[in-house]
Amino acid sequence: MNLVEITKALANEMRFDIVRWLRDPETNFRPHKDGKDFSDGVCVAVIQEKCGLSQSTVSHYMAILQRCDLVIATRIGKWTYYRRNDATVRTYLSQLQLTL
């Protein structure tokens, strides 16, 4: 785990918000239009809608979060769904506390 890289990823307010929102997707995102639940994560289009940013920017942000293992991507058809990797978040917080 690279504490500095994760800290950099979370230093962007929108990326921080996305990770925070993914903690409780039922509360923070509108339901998927196809009625799908959040068990596979949140569709990138729903994340983009909440962020109010372009598709390319949100995709770039999600790639950064995925490289740091903060989110887990699941591809279903042409859509990508993201869920928070709580194990990485817990380890990051624990290591940060031990390090600082």
Side-chain angles (χ1 to χ4, degrees):
M1 166 171 295
N2 188 324
L3 291 176
V4 173
E5 288 305 311
I6 293 175
T7 302
K8 284 183 198 177
L10 294 173
N12 174 282
E13 187 174 0
M14 187 56 66
R15 290 192 298 260
F16 181 88
D17 284 344
I18 291 168
V19 173
R20 185 174 53 84
W21 294 334
L22 288 172
R23 181 178 185 185
D24 185 9
E26 290 82 5
T27 300
N28 293 303
F29 295 98
R30 69 156 174 82
H32 292 115
K33 289 181 180 172
D34 61 5
K36 186 169 177 29
D37 65 14
F38 292 109
S39 59
D40 290 319
V42 180
C43 179
V44 69
V46 175
I47 296 170
Q48 177 193 349
E49 181 182 290
K50 174 129 179 148
C51 292
L53 300 172
S54 70
Q55 182 271 330
S56 61
T57 299
V58 173
S59 291
H60 177 69
Y61 283 179
M62 298 313 294
I64 291 169
L65 295 174
Q66 189 175 2
R67 273 194 304 274
C68 292
D69 204 28
L70 289 167
V71 297
I72 299 166
T74 303
R75 185 89 174 164
I76 300 175
K78 64 179 185 171
W79 300 107
T80 303
Y81 293 80
Y82 292 95
R83 65 186 190 280
R84 188 169 110 149
N85 188 342
D86 288 326
T88 296
V89 172
R90 280 192 304 274
T91 301
Y92 169 72
L93 293 172
S94 174
Q95 289 298 315
L96 191 63
Q97 186 175 24
L98 289 172
T99 303
L100 288 178

mmCIF file of all heavy atoms in Angstrom, residues 56-91:
data_model
loop_
_atom_site.group_PDB
_atom_site.id
_atom_site.type_symbol
_atom_site.label_atom_id
_atom_site.label_comp_id
_atom_site.label_asym_id
_atom_site.label_seq_id
_atom_site.Cartn_x
_atom_site.Cartn_y
_atom_site.Cartn_z
ATOM 1 N N SER A 56 -15.573 11.995 -19.296
ATOM 2 C CA SER A 56 -14.138 11.732 -19.348
ATOM 3 C C SER A 56 -13.452 12.056 -18.014
ATOM 4 O O SER A 56 -12.563 11.318 -17.578
ATOM 5 C CB SER A 56 -13.477 12.500 -20.495
ATOM 6 O OG SER A 56 -13.634 13.886 -20.328
ATOM 7 N N THR A 57 -13.876 13.128 -17.365
ATOM 8 C CA THR A 57 -13.296 13.492 -16.067
ATOM 9 C C THR A 57 -13.629 12.447 -15.015
ATOM 10 O O THR A 57 -12.748 12.002 -14.261
ATOM 11 C CB THR A 57 -13.778 14.882 -15.614
ATOM 12 O OG1 THR A 57 -13.362 15.843 -16.581
ATOM 13 C CG2 THR A 57 -13.219 15.254 -14.252
ATOM 14 N N VAL A 58 -14.885 12.022 -14.963
ATOM 15 C CA VAL A 58 -15.287 11.006 -13.979
ATOM 16 C C VAL A 58 -14.564 9.696 -14.255
ATOM 17 O O VAL A 58 -14.078 9.043 -13.326
ATOM 18 C CB VAL A 58 -16.818 10.826 -13.954
ATOM 19 C CG1 VAL A 58 -17.219 9.654 -13.071
ATOM 20 C CG2 VAL A 58 -17.486 12.110 -13.466
ATOM 21 N N SER A 59 -14.445 9.302 -15.506
ATOM 22 C CA SER A 59 -13.717 8.071 -15.847
ATOM 23 C C SER A 59 -12.255 8.177 -15.410
ATOM 24 O O SER A 59 -11.695 7.214 -14.882
ATOM 25 C CB SER A 59 -13.797 7.797 -17.346
ATOM 26 O OG SER A 59 -15.110 7.447 -17.700
ATOM 27 N N HIS A 60 -11.651 9.341 -15.607
ATOM 28 C CA HIS A 60 -10.273 9.553 -15.170
ATOM 29 C C HIS A 60 -10.164 9.448 -13.649
ATOM 30 O O HIS A 60 -9.259 8.778 -13.119
ATOM 31 C CB HIS A 60 -9.789 10.922 -15.652
ATOM 32 C CG HIS A 60 -8.413 11.282 -15.196
ATOM 33 N ND1 HIS A 60 -7.275 10.645 -15.650
ATOM 34 C CD2 HIS A 60 -7.994 12.217 -14.307
ATOM 35 C CE1 HIS A 60 -6.218 11.171 -15.057
ATOM 36 N NE2 HIS A 60 -6.622 12.127 -14.241
ATOM 37 N N TYR A 61 -11.077 10.073 -12.945
ATOM 38 C CA TYR A 61 -11.080 10.001 -11.480
ATOM 39 C C TYR A 61 -11.255 8.573 -10.996
ATOM 40 O O TYR A 61 -10.577 8.131 -10.065
ATOM 41 C CB TYR A 61 -12.192 10.877 -10.905
ATOM 42 C CG TYR A 61 -11.908 12.359 -10.907
ATOM 43 C CD1 TYR A 61 -12.853 13.246 -10.423
ATOM 44 C CD2 TYR A 61 -10.715 12.895 -11.382
ATOM 45 C CE1 TYR A 61 -12.620 14.619 -10.410
ATOM 46 C CE2 TYR A 61 -10.476 14.255 -11.376
ATOM 47 C CZ TYR A 61 -11.431 15.112 -10.890
ATOM 48 O OH TYR A 61 -11.199 16.461 -10.868
ATOM 49 N N MET A 62 -12.159 7.836 -11.628
ATOM 50 C CA MET A 62 -12.397 6.459 -11.200
ATOM 51 C C MET A 62 -11.170 5.584 -11.467
ATOM 52 O O MET A 62 -10.854 4.704 -10.675
ATOM 53 C CB MET A 62 -13.640 5.887 -11.880
ATOM 54 C CG MET A 62 -14.934 6.630 -11.548
ATOM 55 S SD MET A 62 -15.207 6.997 -9.792
ATOM 56 C CE MET A 62 -15.415 5.351 -9.122
ATOM 57 N N ALA A 63 -10.455 5.853 -12.558
ATOM 58 C CA ALA A 63 -9.227 5.099 -12.854
ATOM 59 C C ALA A 63 -8.169 5.367 -11.780
ATOM 60 O O ALA A 63 -7.470 4.439 -11.349
ATOM 61 C CB ALA A 63 -8.700 5.483 -14.236
ATOM 62 N N ILE A 64 -8.065 6.602 -11.336
ATOM 63 C CA ILE A 64 -7.121 6.939 -10.258
ATOM 64 C C ILE A 64 -7.489 6.188 -8.983
ATOM 65 O O ILE A 64 -6.633 5.585 -8.327
ATOM 66 C CB ILE A 64 -7.094 8.461 -10.008
ATOM 67 C CG1 ILE A 64 -6.438 9.180 -11.194
ATOM 68 C CG2 ILE A 64 -6.368 8.802 -8.698
ATOM 69 C CD1 ILE A 64 -6.603 10.690 -11.176
ATOM 70 N N LEU A 65 -8.756 6.211 -8.630
ATOM 71 C CA LEU A 65 -9.215 5.521 -7.415
ATOM 72 C C LEU A 65 -9.027 4.016 -7.530
ATOM 73 O O LEU A 65 -8.683 3.347 -6.548
ATOM 74 C CB LEU A 65 -10.683 5.870 -7.133
ATOM 75 C CG LEU A 65 -10.962 7.332 -6.794
ATOM 76 C CD1 LEU A 65 -12.457 7.579 -6.687
ATOM 77 C CD2 LEU A 65 -10.240 7.748 -5.504
ATOM 78 N N GLN A 66 -9.225 3.490 -8.730
ATOM 79 C CA GLN A 66 -9.057 2.049 -8.940
ATOM 80 C C GLN A 66 -7.578 1.661 -8.844
ATOM 81 O O GLN A 66 -7.249 0.630 -8.249
ATOM 82 C CB GLN A 66 -9.634 1.645 -10.294
ATOM 83 C CG GLN A 66 -9.699 0.148 -10.492
ATOM 84 C CD GLN A 66 -10.380 -0.240 -11.787
ATOM 85 O OE1 GLN A 66 -10.792 0.595 -12.576
ATOM 86 N NE2 GLN A 66 -10.488 -1.534 -12.013
ATOM 87 N N ARG A 67 -6.675 2.470 -9.404
ATOM 88 C CA ARG A 67 -5.244 2.182 -9.312
ATOM 89 C C ARG A 67 -4.771 2.136 -7.857
ATOM 90 O O ARG A 67 -3.867 1.385 -7.514
ATOM 91 C CB ARG A 67 -4.434 3.227 -10.076
ATOM 92 C CG ARG A 67 -4.246 2.917 -11.535
ATOM 93 C CD ARG A 67 -3.164 3.769 -12.183
ATOM 94 N NE ARG A 67 -3.375 5.201 -12.052
ATOM 95 C CZ ARG A 67 -4.116 5.948 -12.872
ATOM 96 N NH1 ARG A 67 -4.737 5.398 -13.886
ATOM 97 N NH2 ARG A 67 -4.226 7.247 -12.673
ATOM 98 N N CYS A 68 -5.389 2.943 -7.006
ATOM 99 C CA CYS A 68 -5.048 2.958 -5.577
ATOM 100 C C CYS A 68 -5.798 1.885 -4.804
ATOM 101 O O CYS A 68 -5.640 1.781 -3.588
ATOM 102 C CB CYS A 68 -5.367 4.325 -4.974
ATOM 103 S SG CYS A 68 -4.310 5.640 -5.572
ATOM 104 N N ASP A 69 -6.635 1.119 -5.482
ATOM 105 C CA ASP A 69 -7.423 0.042 -4.877
ATOM 106 C C ASP A 69 -8.487 0.559 -3.908
ATOM 107 O O ASP A 69 -8.922 -0.147 -3.016
ATOM 108 C CB ASP A 69 -6.511 -0.976 -4.198
ATOM 109 C CG ASP A 69 -7.146 -2.346 -4.078
ATOM 110 O OD1 ASP A 69 -8.005 -2.692 -4.913
ATOM 111 O OD2 ASP A 69 -6.799 -3.073 -3.125
ATOM 112 N N LEU A 70 -8.891 1.830 -4.075
ATOM 113 C CA LEU A 70 -9.939 2.399 -3.232
ATOM 114 C C LEU A 70 -11.325 1.997 -3.717
ATOM 115 O O LEU A 70 -12.283 2.042 -2.946
ATOM 116 C CB LEU A 70 -9.829 3.921 -3.173
ATOM 117 C CG LEU A 70 -8.640 4.444 -2.371
ATOM 118 C CD1 LEU A 70 -8.436 5.932 -2.639
ATOM 119 C CD2 LEU A 70 -8.850 4.183 -0.891
ATOM 120 N N VAL A 71 -11.436 1.644 -5.000
ATOM 121 C CA VAL A 71 -12.701 1.168 -5.558
ATOM 122 C C VAL A 71 -12.457 -0.109 -6.337
ATOM 123 O O VAL A 71 -11.347 -0.370 -6.814
ATOM 124 C CB VAL A 71 -13.385 2.225 -6.470
ATOM 125 C CG1 VAL A 71 -13.755 3.472 -5.693
ATOM 126 C CG2 VAL A 71 -12.536 2.544 -7.674
ATOM 127 N N ILE A 72 -13.518 -0.888 -6.458
ATOM 128 C CA ILE A 72 -13.492 -2.137 -7.223
ATOM 129 C C ILE A 72 -14.454 -1.958 -8.386
ATOM 130 O O ILE A 72 -15.614 -1.578 -8.183
ATOM 131 C CB ILE A 72 -13.930 -3.325 -6.347
ATOM 132 C CG1 ILE A 72 -12.975 -3.478 -5.163
ATOM 133 C CG2 ILE A 72 -14.015 -4.611 -7.182
ATOM 134 C CD1 ILE A 72 -13.489 -4.392 -4.072
ATOM 135 N N ALA A 73 -13.966 -2.207 -9.588
ATOM 136 C CA ALA A 73 -14.786 -2.059 -10.787
ATOM 137 C C ALA A 73 -15.329 -3.411 -11.228
ATOM 138 O O ALA A 73 -14.621 -4.422 -11.187
ATOM 139 C CB ALA A 73 -13.957 -1.450 -11.909
ATOM 140 N N THR A 74 -16.593 -3.408 -11.648
ATOM 141 C CA THR A 74 -17.223 -4.596 -12.213
ATOM 142 C C THR A 74 -17.843 -4.189 -13.536
ATOM 143 O O THR A 74 -18.659 -3.267 -13.579
ATOM 144 C CB THR A 74 -18.320 -5.146 -11.268
ATOM 145 O OG1 THR A 74 -17.736 -5.431 -9.999
ATOM 146 C CG2 THR A 74 -18.955 -6.394 -11.845
ATOM 147 N N ARG A 75 -17.450 -4.875 -14.593
ATOM 148 C CA ARG A 75 -17.980 -4.572 -15.928
ATOM 149 C C ARG A 75 -19.169 -5.478 -16.199
ATOM 150 O O ARG A 75 -19.073 -6.697 -16.086
ATOM 151 C CB ARG A 75 -16.873 -4.808 -16.959
ATOM 152 C CG ARG A 75 -17.240 -4.440 -18.332
ATOM 153 C CD ARG A 75 -16.912 -3.002 -18.561
ATOM 154 N NE ARG A 75 -17.149 -2.704 -19.971
ATOM 155 C CZ ARG A 75 -17.258 -1.522 -20.453
ATOM 156 N NH1 ARG A 75 -17.120 -0.481 -19.666
ATOM 157 N NH2 ARG A 75 -17.487 -1.318 -21.707
ATOM 158 N N ILE A 76 -20.317 -4.875 -16.529
ATOM 159 C CA ILE A 76 -21.522 -5.624 -16.883
ATOM 160 C C ILE A 76 -22.024 -5.045 -18.197
ATOM 161 O O ILE A 76 -22.509 -3.909 -18.235
ATOM 162 C CB ILE A 76 -22.600 -5.534 -15.793
ATOM 163 C CG1 ILE A 76 -22.063 -6.095 -14.475
ATOM 164 C CG2 ILE A 76 -23.868 -6.273 -16.224
ATOM 165 C CD1 ILE A 76 -22.984 -5.948 -13.295
ATOM 166 N N GLY A 77 -21.883 -5.826 -19.261
ATOM 167 C CA GLY A 77 -22.239 -5.320 -20.575
ATOM 168 C C GLY A 77 -21.363 -4.145 -20.927
ATOM 169 O O GLY A 77 -20.139 -4.208 -20.812
ATOM 170 N N LYS A 78 -21.977 -3.058 -21.331
ATOM 171 C CA LYS A 78 -21.194 -1.866 -21.704
ATOM 172 C C LYS A 78 -20.982 -0.914 -20.530
ATOM 173 O O LYS A 78 -20.369 0.131 -20.682
ATOM 174 C CB LYS A 78 -21.856 -1.134 -22.869
ATOM 175 C CG LYS A 78 -23.221 -0.563 -22.573
ATOM 176 C CD LYS A 78 -23.765 0.161 -23.795
ATOM 177 C CE LYS A 78 -25.078 0.828 -23.458
ATOM 178 N NZ LYS A 78 -25.536 1.707 -24.507
ATOM 179 N N TRP A 79 -21.489 -1.261 -19.359
ATOM 180 C CA TRP A 79 -21.409 -0.368 -18.196
ATOM 181 C C TRP A 79 -20.396 -0.866 -17.176
ATOM 182 O O TRP A 79 -20.202 -2.061 -17.003
ATOM 183 C CB TRP A 79 -22.777 -0.242 -17.524
ATOM 184 C CG TRP A 79 -23.808 0.303 -18.450
ATOM 185 C CD1 TRP A 79 -24.831 -0.389 -19.036
ATOM 186 C CD2 TRP A 79 -23.911 1.644 -18.933
ATOM 187 N NE1 TRP A 79 -25.560 0.445 -19.842
ATOM 188 C CE2 TRP A 79 -25.018 1.702 -19.804
ATOM 189 C CE3 TRP A 79 -23.176 2.802 -18.716
ATOM 190 C CZ2 TRP A 79 -25.409 2.870 -20.450
ATOM 191 C CZ3 TRP A 79 -23.558 3.965 -19.356
ATOM 192 C CH2 TRP A 79 -24.662 3.987 -20.208
ATOM 193 N N THR A 80 -19.789 0.071 -16.483
ATOM 194 C CA THR A 80 -18.887 -0.254 -15.384
ATOM 195 C C THR A 80 -19.526 0.226 -14.084
ATOM 196 O O THR A 80 -20.011 1.344 -13.995
ATOM 197 C CB THR A 80 -17.514 0.412 -15.568
ATOM 198 O OG1 THR A 80 -16.971 0.007 -16.832
ATOM 199 C CG2 THR A 80 -16.556 0.010 -14.458
ATOM 200 N N TYR A 81 -19.523 -0.662 -13.108
ATOM 201 C CA TYR A 81 -20.070 -0.372 -11.787
ATOM 202 C C TYR A 81 -18.922 -0.337 -10.793
ATOM 203 O O TYR A 81 -17.997 -1.148 -10.865
ATOM 204 C CB TYR A 81 -21.076 -1.461 -11.373
ATOM 205 C CG TYR A 81 -22.317 -1.456 -12.222
ATOM 206 C CD1 TYR A 81 -22.334 -2.039 -13.482
ATOM 207 C CD2 TYR A 81 -23.481 -0.854 -11.768
ATOM 208 C CE1 TYR A 81 -23.473 -2.027 -14.277
ATOM 209 C CE2 TYR A 81 -24.627 -0.838 -12.550
ATOM 210 C CZ TYR A 81 -24.615 -1.425 -13.798
ATOM 211 O OH TYR A 81 -25.741 -1.396 -14.569
ATOM 212 N N TYR A 82 -18.990 0.605 -9.868
ATOM 213 C CA TYR A 82 -17.934 0.769 -8.872
ATOM 214 C C TYR A 82 -18.496 0.635 -7.469
ATOM 215 O O TYR A 82 -19.563 1.141 -7.162
ATOM 216 C CB TYR A 82 -17.282 2.156 -9.008
ATOM 217 C CG TYR A 82 -16.487 2.321 -10.270
ATOM 218 C CD1 TYR A 82 -17.049 2.894 -11.398
ATOM 219 C CD2 TYR A 82 -15.166 1.905 -10.329
ATOM 220 C CE1 TYR A 82 -16.314 3.053 -12.565
ATOM 221 C CE2 TYR A 82 -14.414 2.054 -11.487
ATOM 222 C CZ TYR A 82 -15.001 2.623 -12.594
ATOM 223 O OH TYR A 82 -14.271 2.775 -13.745
ATOM 224 N N ARG A 83 -17.718 -0.051 -6.634
ATOM 225 C CA ARG A 83 -18.043 -0.100 -5.209
ATOM 226 C C ARG A 83 -16.762 0.194 -4.431
ATOM 227 O O ARG A 83 -15.657 -0.005 -4.920
ATOM 228 C CB ARG A 83 -18.677 -1.415 -4.809
ATOM 229 C CG ARG A 83 -17.839 -2.618 -4.928
ATOM 230 C CD ARG A 83 -18.678 -3.887 -4.616
ATOM 231 N NE ARG A 83 -17.840 -5.042 -4.496
ATOM 232 C CZ ARG A 83 -17.360 -5.731 -5.513
ATOM 233 N NH1 ARG A 83 -17.617 -5.376 -6.732
ATOM 234 N NH2 ARG A 83 -16.599 -6.774 -5.294
ATOM 235 N N ARG A 84 -16.945 0.696 -3.250
ATOM 236 C CA ARG A 84 -15.810 1.082 -2.411
ATOM 237 C C ARG A 84 -15.124 -0.161 -1.875
ATOM 238 O O ARG A 84 -15.773 -1.133 -1.493
ATOM 239 C CB ARG A 84 -16.331 1.931 -1.258
ATOM 240 C CG ARG A 84 -15.251 2.549 -0.414
ATOM 241 C CD ARG A 84 -15.858 3.545 0.498
ATOM 242 N NE ARG A 84 -15.810 3.081 1.863
ATOM 243 C CZ ARG A 84 -15.703 3.878 2.899
ATOM 244 N NH1 ARG A 84 -15.712 5.179 2.729
ATOM 245 N NH2 ARG A 84 -15.639 3.398 4.104
ATOM 246 N N ASN A 85 -13.811 -0.130 -1.838
ATOM 247 C CA ASN A 85 -13.043 -1.224 -1.264
ATOM 248 C C ASN A 85 -12.783 -0.876 0.200
ATOM 249 O O ASN A 85 -11.792 -0.217 0.532
ATOM 250 C CB ASN A 85 -11.736 -1.430 -2.034
ATOM 251 C CG ASN A 85 -11.007 -2.672 -1.592
ATOM 252 O OD1 ASN A 85 -11.273 -3.201 -0.523
ATOM 253 N ND2 ASN A 85 -10.083 -3.131 -2.415
ATOM 254 N N ASP A 86 -13.679 -1.307 1.057
ATOM 255 C CA ASP A 86 -13.592 -0.956 2.476
ATOM 256 C C ASP A 86 -12.332 -1.505 3.138
ATOM 257 O O ASP A 86 -11.801 -0.891 4.063
ATOM 258 C CB ASP A 86 -14.833 -1.436 3.227
ATOM 259 C CG ASP A 86 -16.057 -0.604 2.894
ATOM 260 O OD1 ASP A 86 -15.909 0.611 2.661
ATOM 261 O OD2 ASP A 86 -17.164 -1.168 2.863
ATOM 262 N N ALA A 87 -11.832 -2.650 2.663
ATOM 263 C CA ALA A 87 -10.610 -3.218 3.243
ATOM 264 C C ALA A 87 -9.430 -2.272 3.028
ATOM 265 O O ALA A 87 -8.637 -2.042 3.951
ATOM 266 C CB ALA A 87 -10.322 -4.583 2.630
ATOM 267 N N THR A 88 -9.324 -1.699 1.844
ATOM 268 C CA THR A 88 -8.242 -0.750 1.570
ATOM 269 C C THR A 88 -8.408 0.514 2.404
ATOM 270 O O THR A 88 -7.425 1.035 2.949
ATOM 271 C CB THR A 88 -8.194 -0.393 0.072
ATOM 272 O OG1 THR A 88 -7.883 -1.571 -0.662
ATOM 273 C CG2 THR A 88 -7.144 0.672 -0.225
ATOM 274 N N VAL A 89 -9.628 1.003 2.523
ATOM 275 C CA VAL A 89 -9.878 2.213 3.317
ATOM 276 C C VAL A 89 -9.464 1.969 4.772
ATOM 277 O O VAL A 89 -8.764 2.794 5.373
ATOM 278 C CB VAL A 89 -11.351 2.658 3.220
ATOM 279 C CG1 VAL A 89 -11.645 3.789 4.200
ATOM 280 C CG2 VAL A 89 -11.694 3.074 1.795
ATOM 281 N N ARG A 90 -9.863 0.826 5.332
ATOM 282 C CA ARG A 90 -9.506 0.512 6.723
ATOM 283 C C ARG A 90 -7.986 0.405 6.896
ATOM 284 O O ARG A 90 -7.413 0.939 7.849
ATOM 285 C CB ARG A 90 -10.175 -0.785 7.164
ATOM 286 C CG ARG A 90 -11.615 -0.634 7.563
ATOM 287 C CD ARG A 90 -12.149 -1.884 8.260
ATOM 288 N NE ARG A 90 -12.000 -3.093 7.443
ATOM 289 C CZ ARG A 90 -12.882 -3.501 6.525
ATOM 290 N NH1 ARG A 90 -13.972 -2.805 6.300
ATOM 291 N NH2 ARG A 90 -12.669 -4.610 5.852
ATOM 292 N N THR A 91 -7.332 -0.284 5.964
ATOM 293 C CA THR A 91 -5.879 -0.450 6.049
ATOM 294 C C THR A 91 -5.177 0.893 5.905
ATOM 295 O O THR A 91 -4.224 1.189 6.637
ATOM 296 C CB THR A 91 -5.378 -1.423 4.964
ATOM 297 O OG1 THR A 91 -6.037 -2.682 5.146
ATOM 298 C CG2 THR A 91 -3.881 -1.629 5.043
#
